[in-house]
Amino acid sequence: MLETVVQAVINGLLIGGIYALVSIGVTLIFGVVKIVNFAQGEFVMIGMYISFFLATQFGIDPLLSLVVSMPTLFVLGVLIQHFLIRRVLGPNDMPQIFLTFALSLLLLNLALLLFSANYRTVHTSYSDEAIHLGGLYIPVAKLIAFVVAMALSGLLWLFLHTTDLGRAMRAASQNRDVATLMGINPNRVFAVAFGAALALAGAAGSLLMPFYSAYPFVGQVFVLMAFVAVVLGTLGNVVGALVASLMMGVAESLGIQFVGADSGLIVVFAMLLLTLAFKPSGLGGRRAR
Amino acid sequence: MQTSTKWKWLALAILAAVMLLLPQVVKSSFAIDIFIRILLFSFIGVAWNLMGGYAKQLSLGHAAYFGLGAYTSTLMQIDFGISPWIGMVAGGIVAALASLPIGWLCFRLRGPYFTIATIATAQALMLIFLKFRDFAWGAEGTTIPNLGSSPLMMQFEGKAAYYYVVLGLLTLGLLITWRIERSWIGYYLVAIGEDEEAAEAVGVNAPRIKRDIYMISAFLTAMAGTFYTQYIYFIDPATAFSFSISIEAALVSIVGGIGTLWGPVIGTVLLETASALLQSWLGSNTGGIQLTVYSLILMAVILWRPTGLMGMLNEVWQRRAHPKPARA
């Protein structure tokens, strides 16, 4: 019994690491640019397809393709911020919500047109390997993904707290007007934040590829989890998103183990709805009462 | 003002006559099917627009009510033989009641938080219906028993009768919107949409108005769910609670112009026509094309015409009615 619980917790933590990369991206964009990026999941999908094609066309290991997927998505993020997001920044929520939402629809359906709805998998030498610890079972591919995800999250935290640009980002997220007065160029800061968030999504995609299938709708799974994590962990708070993501991975995994194979998401939604019901003010809703 | 009102009524009368005669003239069942889709999604858009357009509460979870309406009437029909006409009203009541706790949860959140919460509630309902296999057929869903021609059970031979049913629904939705738009509630809704704190500060009871309008919106959306299920003779959670229902409800309103009476109708006509044309050009093998075009239209509207097509028409109208005085 105890072993089953520990195993479920380990599985949950491992997948929670990937959720963290996605939700940290969402929370970073929200914190700095004040936009909820509904398309974040589709950037995970793009990261997966990049790794898939590098692996099948050139035989590059999905983990190595991180060095391609992250910069590609960073540039994509800067371009999207510059050509699309910048035009809808303002007090009105409607254009912001529906622009990123339309972007998500567009990317998803373009993927459907270009790559069909088929599931694409990459089989690596370590895809089926696992470490056995007592009665516990730790899949290597997921462990690597988790470790890299935590390292990237740590690097982002260091970047935000030790570099000038990172400090500028945090300043812009706290008070855009004052930050501008202090000589911070918000457009540049926003572009870097958007790029960094998308790079994290791209990393999530590459890290997933050795043990997860790429298909056009794959991003929807992750973005849903990311939204829940981001709301639980207070929007805009990087550490909060990280902790909430790990918690949700564990909750989902325990749900699958003890309620039923199809009940992981129900547990996650129950968590969200209970939080909304009893502690809406703690969610970081800007003007939530 | 007098003459412009007269022209409006004349235009409306002509439109009504055309709509009533359409299935008598056009006999192609393919064409009538498109008309039915246009009327149905106009109706769903009109229902969404009450909350999303006037009060700017951008829900992406209206599939919750669509699905509840569809399931209520279908369960009543299959388990107890109750006519979907009654089931449609019962579904509306169930949805309106469900909108109370859902609204209680979601309305405490603003902007994107509200939108995320509405998505989550609709998804959670879908998961619940997937889970209850014994109660509501689970993921496989069920077909509606085909009785041939049975108007009392909302089943008709040929598509023309379905056309008139959904035309009636849309008319109902437009009348309700028109009444609300013209009453003090309409002004309050717009005030809430502009700035909720300011509206409350001047004495608007925002929570109560949002609750009431949300109930009406849920009721109408549920009626659409019943109609759709009866029309396609099939129900399953993935269709009834489909995220694309929520998307389309919002999409047609935004493209047409949110917070306007005719916006959702105009948006639907554009989007459904575009999708029908694409389908006939590209054949049925169009996975993704339709929504690709939808999303491009949506992005174009948001970036260049945030007021939607109605906003554009209004500008043209204003310019003609009140030409700019020549520069002095």
Side-chain angles (χ1 to χ4, degrees):
Chain A
M1 176 66 193
L2 181 68
E3 214 162 68
T4 324
V5 176
V6 175
Q7 180 69 55
V9 169
I10 290 174
N11 292 346
L13 283 175
L14 292 182
I15 194 71
I18 300 286
Y19 295 157
L21 285 184
V22 190
S23 61
I24 287 173
V26 174
T27 221
L28 182 67
I29 291 177
F30 184 83
V32 178
V33 195
K34 295 284 176 275
I35 273 209
V36 172
N37 183 18
F38 282 89
Q40 192 75 1
E42 276 60 50
F43 297 113
V44 177
M45 171 198 73
I46 293 175
M48 290 185 83
Y49 276 109
I50 290 175
S51 292
F52 171 77
F53 282 108
L54 287 176
T56 47
Q57 301 298 314
F58 304 103
I60 296 171
D61 188 284
L63 292 178
L64 288 179
S65 61
L66 214 67
V67 297
V68 180
S69 62
M70 287 186 73
T72 310
L73 277 148
F74 182 88
V75 172
L76 191 62
V78 170
L79 293 176
I80 289 173
Q81 163 64 28
H82 186 79
F83 288 105
L84 296 175
I85 306 295
R86 205 159 59 105
R87 309 177 52 144
V88 294
L89 291 177
N92 190 349
D93 284 328
M94 199 276 285
Q96 308 175 0
I97 292 176
F98 283 100
L99 184 69
T100 62
F101 184 71
L103 195 61
S104 146
L105 271 187
L106 179 67
L107 295 172
L108 197 165
N109 288 286
L110 277 179
L112 208 52
L113 281 176
L114 295 173
F115 311 129
S116 84
N118 293 344
Y119 284 58
R120 317 280 184 173
T121 51
V122 172
H123 199 85
T124 60
S125 55
Y126 49 88
S127 281
D128 298 327
E129 263 181 56
I131 299 168
H132 293 273
L133 264 182
L136 299 173
Y137 169 90
I138 303 170
V140 170
K142 287 186 180 174
L143 183 65
I144 298 172
F146 177 80
V147 171
V148 178
M150 289 305 105
L152 288 173
S153 311
L155 282 177
L156 179 76
W157 193 88
L158 279 178
F159 168 72
L160 288 175
H161 286 83
T162 58
T163 66
D164 284 345
L165 189 56
R167 287 202 188 93
M169 264 189 205
R170 289 195 300 137
S173 79
Q174 275 163 17
N175 191 325
R176 194 182 303 174
D177 298 330
V178 174
T180 314
L181 290 175
M182 296 297 141
I184 289 168
N185 175 355
N187 280 335
R188 183 158 157 262
V189 169
F190 291 177
V192 174
F194 219 90
L198 262 55
L200 288 180
S206 295
L207 291 171
L208 277 166
M209 212 52 229
F211 62 93
Y212 214 92
S213 304
Y215 56 101
F217 295 94
V218 69
Q220 306 269 305
V221 179
F222 290 95
V223 84
L224 217 54
M225 300 302 269
F227 281 154
V228 179
V230 145
V231 175
L232 288 176
T234 301
L235 254 171
N237 182 335
V238 170
V239 179
L242 174 68
V243 174
S245 298
L246 296 177
M247 271 170 54
M248 279 184 30
V250 172
E252 183 195 22
S253 170
L254 288 171
I256 291 171
Q257 185 66 47
F258 294 105
V259 188
D262 51 355
S263 301
L265 272 179
I266 292 190
V267 173
V268 168
F269 282 122
M271 266 174 86
L272 175 69
L273 295 177
L274 284 175
T275 317
L276 291 180
F278 295 111
K279 211 169 168 292
S281 58
L283 299 173
R286 267 176 300 169
R287 288 175 291 165
R289 280 168 298 180
Chain B
M1 192 62 210
Q2 282 289 339
T3 44
S4 105
T5 313
K6 217 185 280 173
W7 283 112
K8 252 185 203 166
W9 283 107
L10 184 67
L12 211 58
I14 293 172
L15 181 67
V18 169
M19 293 311 288
L20 284 171
L21 286 174
L22 208 54
Q24 307 303 323
V25 181
V26 181
K27 290 291 178 195
S28 141
S29 110
F30 175 73
I32 294 186
D33 186 63
I34 293 173
F35 295 148
I36 290 175
R37 283 189 62 86
I38 290 179
L39 292 170
L40 177 68
F41 282 103
S42 295
F43 176 56
I44 299 172
V46 164
W48 183 91
N49 190 37
L50 279 173
M51 263 335 271
Y54 290 96
K56 298 221 172 69
Q57 305 292 317
L58 302 172
S59 151
L60 283 178
H62 263 52
Y65 307 114
F66 188 89
L68 284 175
Y71 267 98
T72 305
S73 59
T74 308
L75 282 164
M76 284 171 74
Q77 181 186 1
I78 291 183
D79 292 353
F80 305 104
I82 297 170
S83 162
W85 290 109
I86 299 169
M88 187 183 250
V89 177
I93 293 171
V94 168
L97 291 177
S99 81
L100 290 174
I102 294 177
W104 178 76
L105 278 174
C106 299
F107 283 135
R108 296 187 291 172
L109 304 157
R110 300 290 163 83
Y113 306 90
F114 173 80
T115 304
I116 292 172
T118 56
I119 296 174
T121 49
Q123 292 282 325
L125 270 175
M126 183 204 280
L127 291 171
I128 288 169
F129 276 85
L130 281 170
K131 181 100 184 131
F132 289 144
R133 278 183 202 89
D134 312 329
F135 166 65
W137 316 288
E140 297 79 36
T142 190
T143 48
I144 312 290
N146 189 340
L147 308 171
S149 171
S150 174
L152 281 178
M153 294 300 276
M154 209 191 276
Q155 295 195 359
F156 312 97
E157 278 179 77
K159 292 194 165 166
Y162 290 99
Y163 171 95
Y164 286 115
V165 173
V166 70
L167 181 63
L169 286 176
L170 175 58
T171 310
L172 173 76
L174 287 171
L175 280 173
I176 289 176
T177 307
W178 182 71
R179 275 296 290 145
I180 291 175
E181 197 182 50
R182 302 253 153 162
S183 72
W184 54 272
I185 305 175
Y187 294 108
Y188 282 11
L189 278 176
V190 173
I192 291 169
E194 291 293 322
D195 186 338
E196 190 160 344
E197 273 80 16
E200 288 209 68
V202 295
V204 175
N205 188 347
R208 207 186 129 186
I209 289 175
K210 284 201 292 188
R211 185 195 71 199
D212 292 352
I213 296 296
Y214 197 47
M215 282 175 84
I216 296 173
S217 179
F219 193 105
L220 295 175
T221 310
M223 291 177 91
T226 298
F227 171 82
Y228 186 70
T229 306
Q230 290 303 122
Y231 180 61
I232 65 166
Y233 287 95
F234 178 72
I235 188 166
D236 71 336
T239 317
F241 291 98
S242 146
F243 189 38
S244 66
I245 301 276
S246 303
I247 297 173
E248 192 130 342
L251 216 60
V252 298
S253 309
I254 292 163
V255 169
I258 62 169
T260 59
L261 180 61
W262 292 98
V265 181
I266 290 178
T268 313
V269 170
L270 176 79
L271 290 175
E272 285 296 326
T273 312
S275 108
L277 286 177
L278 282 169
Q279 235 161 48
S280 69
W281 285 338
L282 301 166
S284 55
N285 189 18
T286 53
I289 260 278
Q290 186 173 327
L291 281 172
T292 305
V293 173
Y294 271 29
S295 49
L296 286 173
I297 295 177
L298 180 62
M299 282 169 91
V301 167
I302 288 170
L303 289 174
W304 287 293
R305 289 283 165 188
T307 50
L309 296 176
M310 274 304 285
M312 259 165 92
L313 289 177
N314 273 337
E315 275 169 41
V316 174
W317 183 255
Q318 299 270 321
R319 230 174 285 148
R320 285 191 46 185
H322 313 282
K324 269 187 198 153
R327 244 185 274 169

